[in-house]
Amino acid sequence: MASSYDSIAALYDPWSRSVTEDVDFYVAEARKAGGPVVELGVGTGRIAVPTAQAGVRVIGIDSSERMLDVCRARAEEAGVGELVDLRPGDLRHPPVKERVTLVTCPFRALLHLESDEERLDALQSVHGLLLPGGRFVFDVFAPSRDDVLETHGRWLEREPGIWERADWDTDRRLLTLSVRGEAGETRMYLAWRSPEEWRHLLERAGLDVVACYGWFDLRPYDGGEDSVWIARRPTD
Ligand SMILES: C[S@@+](CC[C@H](N)C(=O)[O-])C[C@H]1O[C@@H](n2cnc3c(N)ncnc32)[C@H](O)[C@@H]1O
């Protein structure tokens, strides 16, 4: 099935160019785990390629074939094609038989799931992928009222020639994000939930919360928009 990311695969890297704050954090987690790492929603390899450059093998899952094409080319260009194993698939049911010590889902990819049933499917799959004691690391956001008021319904130039428009449905807690540029355009949906709800979902999936940070510099979560999570499959 076509993904809303297929039509912006060529636009994704220039669009997300300024997003760099999370790379060292995820690479450090991968180094600690020793690898291989399963990255859910691997995209164009923004995190996966530097992870492979640090010597850690990555199994990358994504539902967008076009994003995976870009990732493959980027990994080859960086000389780490051998360390990046890309598999088309849904992050709720990842095509991975291996059991690993680290699963990641960077840059809010879990927000593409729209119901608790889907979220729980994904988190239970993560539990199944992890060896006992293995970690699940991800980040999500929930917008502030100010962010909603400032951006709602307006086209903003996020990068030169790349425009973004956020339409916030605060009753359904659903963001419709439109992106357009010369190399493509799309509309995608992101459903946000509160940190309390994420904590509850993790627990229902049998994962223990190790930490919830407010940013990638590991400051404690203090009620802001972003939350960065480390959960763990308990040892049996
Ligand atoms: C915001 S991008 C993140 C990409 C990359 N991890 C990064 O940090 O730049 C979200 C990615 O998740 C993928 N995605 C969305 N829903 C998915 C699903 N149900 N299963 C697998 N991949 C999915 C999209 O195709 C996209 O590549």
Side-chain angles (χ1 to χ4, degrees), residues 193-209:
R193 289 297 174 266
S194 67
E196 294 72 31
E197 290 170 292
W198 281 111
R199 185 179 292 274
H200 187 54
L201 285 164
L202 287 163
E203 285 166 4
R204 280 177 70 190
L207 296 163
D208 291 342
V209 174

Side-chain angles (χ1 to χ4, degrees), residues 160-212:
I162 304 178
W163 295 79
E164 192 182 286
R165 172 182 163 142
D167 289 277
W168 304 94
D169 181 336
T170 50
D171 291 335
R172 293 171 65 204
R173 292 188 288 169
L174 188 69
L175 163 63
T176 304
L177 188 63
S178 307
V179 184
R180 67 171 194 231
E182 238 176 59
E185 62 179 271
T186 198
R187 178 180 297 164
M188 60 178 76
Y189 302 94
L190 293 104
W192 71 90
R193 289 297 174 266
S194 67
E196 294 72 31
E197 290 170 292
W198 281 111
R199 185 179 292 274
H200 187 54
L201 285 164
L202 287 163
E203 285 166 4
R204 280 177 70 190
L207 296 163
D208 291 342
V209 174
V210 175
C212 174

Side-chain angles (χ1 to χ4, degrees), residues 5 42 52 63 67 133 142 147-148 155 158 165 172 174 197 199 206 230:
Y5 279 83
V42 68
S63 52
M67 293 287 275
D147 191 21
V148 170
W155 281 102
R158 167 82 174 240
R165 172 182 163 142
R172 293 171 65 204
L174 188 69
E197 290 170 292
R199 185 179 292 274
I230 299 189

Side-chain angles (χ1 to χ4, degrees), residues 104-143:
T104 63
C105 192
F107 203 15
R108 307 161 169 185
L110 282 179
L111 299 194
H112 290 304
L113 305 178
E114 290 185 34
S115 69
D116 272 353
E117 199 185 344
E118 291 181 328
R119 293 178 196 105
L120 209 49
D121 271 355
L123 297 178
Q124 283 166 342
S125 293
V126 168
H127 184 281
L129 290 176
L130 287 171
L131 290 162
R135 282 151 79 95
F136 176 45
V137 183
F138 68 100
D139 60 276
V140 287
F141 83 97

Side-chain angles (χ1 to χ4, degrees), residues 3 5 12 22 39-44 46-47 61-64 67 89-92 106-109 112-113:
S3 150
Y5 279 83
Y12 184 83
D22 53 353
E39 184 181 334
L40 302 173
V42 68
T44 59
R46 195 179 59 84
I47 305 281
I61 310 303
D62 207 285
S63 52
S64 165
M67 293 287 275
D90 195 302
L91 63 81
R92 290 167 293 178
F107 203 15
R108 307 161 169 185
H112 290 304
L113 305 178

